[in-house]
Amino acid sequence: LVLLAVLTVGAIIFAEINYSEIKCTGIVIKLDSENERPLLSKNDINVMVTDQGTRYFLDKPLNEISLHNIEERVKKIPLVKSCEAHHDFSGKIVVAVKEYSPIARILHFTAGESNYKDQYVTQEGKFIGTSSLFTPRVLIASGPFFSGTRKNLLDERGKTLIPLFEFINNDEFWRAQITQVIVAADGGVTLIPAIGQTYIDFGLPTRIETKFKKLALFYKKIIPNKGWNTYHWVHLKYNNQIICD
């Protein structure tokens, strides 16, 4: 056992000595994306790894390169969810990046704020900007609720919208039928359908499943009898009733 311990310590010391002599032979970017296509390019990430091209790692000893600093720089990209960097004995620095999968896109121009850029929203309620590479097909959200002063959906009122977005995204029928969510300044929600001219007055994003059951009843029972364009509004916010006008 003593001999085994000595050999183990010796192997560790030998590895450390060898490691101190290894120089960087390149950077490998590994991008993990759950989106239809990546929102980031490997070049976007490499620019941040090298601190806008000011850091030159090639032929530099690995023990002089801070992996933590590399991770922190990459995490400054809003679309990046996580980043882990490590190196191997071949001298490669491997940077593994996972990007966010947005659940909705906020349209600022609909609130008369064309000077503000659109934002994707994550499951955590963070605003993460958009991508110049790819525009994923996600739920559109707009309205005065998303004024220029709002930077995320992390407050109590903002958080109530996340379950609504996720409910629509997770249901195949509603994902196809609901194209836009308009949110008033007080948090009241109007749903815009893909088919028909009936706006859906959802009210506050509470009792979500119950309200969608009523909306399903409207599509199954009322639309077949009255037609798609009979009503301009269907109101779901009242308990135990559907009001159409």
Side-chain angles (χ1 to χ4, degrees):
L1 290 176
V2 173
L3 179 60
L4 180 61
V6 171
L7 290 175
T8 301
V9 172
I12 294 173
I13 294 173
F14 178 75
E16 289 294 330
I17 293 173
N18 280 346
Y19 164 71
S20 66
E21 298 175 353
I22 297 176
K23 294 182 179 181
C24 178
T25 58
I27 298 172
V28 177
I29 306 295
K30 294 185 177 181
L31 180 58
D32 181 9
S33 174
E34 296 179 358
N35 299 299
E36 184 180 349
R37 284 170 51 191
L39 304 179
L40 288 165
S41 72
K42 291 185 177 181
N43 184 62
D44 293 331
I45 299 167
N46 191 61
V47 167
M48 295 302 289
V49 167
T50 60
D51 198 9
Q52 309 297 325
T54 64
R55 305 271 179 157
Y56 299 94
F57 298 126
L58 199 62
D59 293 330
K60 187 175 182 179
L62 289 180
N63 61 352
E64 296 180 13
I65 299 173
S66 172
L67 298 179
H68 174 74
N69 288 344
I70 289 175
E71 293 171 347
E72 292 304 305
R73 284 197 292 272
V74 174
K75 288 177 183 177
K76 290 180 180 178
I77 303 175
L79 292 167
V80 169
K81 185 175 185 178
S82 64
C83 175
E84 294 183 1
H86 68 274
H87 36 59
D88 55 30
F89 280 102
S90 71
K92 292 288 192 301
I93 297 176
V94 181
V95 183
V97 176
K98 183 176 179 62
E99 67 179 16
Y100 280 109
S101 182
I103 61 173
R105 179 172 181 149
I106 308 300
L107 301 183
H108 276 297
F109 76 87
T110 55
E113 296 180 337
S114 58
N115 55 321
Y116 286 93
K117 295 182 179 180
D118 290 355
Q119 297 280 351
Y120 288 133
V121 183
T122 71
Q123 289 180 321
E124 297 81 8
K126 295 180 180 179
F127 287 1
I128 57 172
T130 57
S131 169
S132 60
L133 290 182
F134 178 61
T135 302
R137 292 173 290 182
V138 295
L139 184 67
I140 299 299
S142 62
F145 188 82
F146 306 106
S147 68
T149 58
R150 177 170 289 280
K151 304 301 181 184
N152 53 56
L153 296 182
L154 299 178
D155 61 307
E156 289 303 315
R157 293 175 67 191
K159 286 180 180 178
T160 62
L161 290 170
I162 297 174
L164 174 63
F165 295 161
E166 292 188 319
F167 186 93
I168 295 172
N169 288 333
N170 292 333
D171 186 284
E172 184 177 355
F173 176 78
W174 296 126
R175 186 171 64 250
Q177 177 63 5
I178 305 300
T179 61
Q180 187 168 347
V181 176
I182 300 176
V183 187
D186 64 357
V189 172
T190 298
L191 305 180
I192 308 299
I195 301 176
Q197 299 178 6
T198 305
Y199 283 16
I200 302 159
D201 180 11
F202 197 85
L204 294 174
T206 58
R207 299 181 291 112
I208 294 172
E209 186 173 354
T210 298
K211 290 179 180 178
F212 272 103
K213 285 181 179 179
K214 291 197 292 183
L215 185 58
L217 184 64
F218 172 77
Y219 282 115
K220 291 178 181 178
K221 301 294 185 181
I222 300 177
I223 289 295
N225 293 322
K226 298 294 184 178
W228 283 100
N229 301 317
T230 301
Y231 299 108
H232 295 292
W233 286 92
V234 55
H235 303 275
L236 307 175
K237 59 185 180 182
Y238 304 106
N239 290 329
N240 302 318
Q241 57 184 323
I242 302 173
I243 298 177
C244 305
D245 56 35

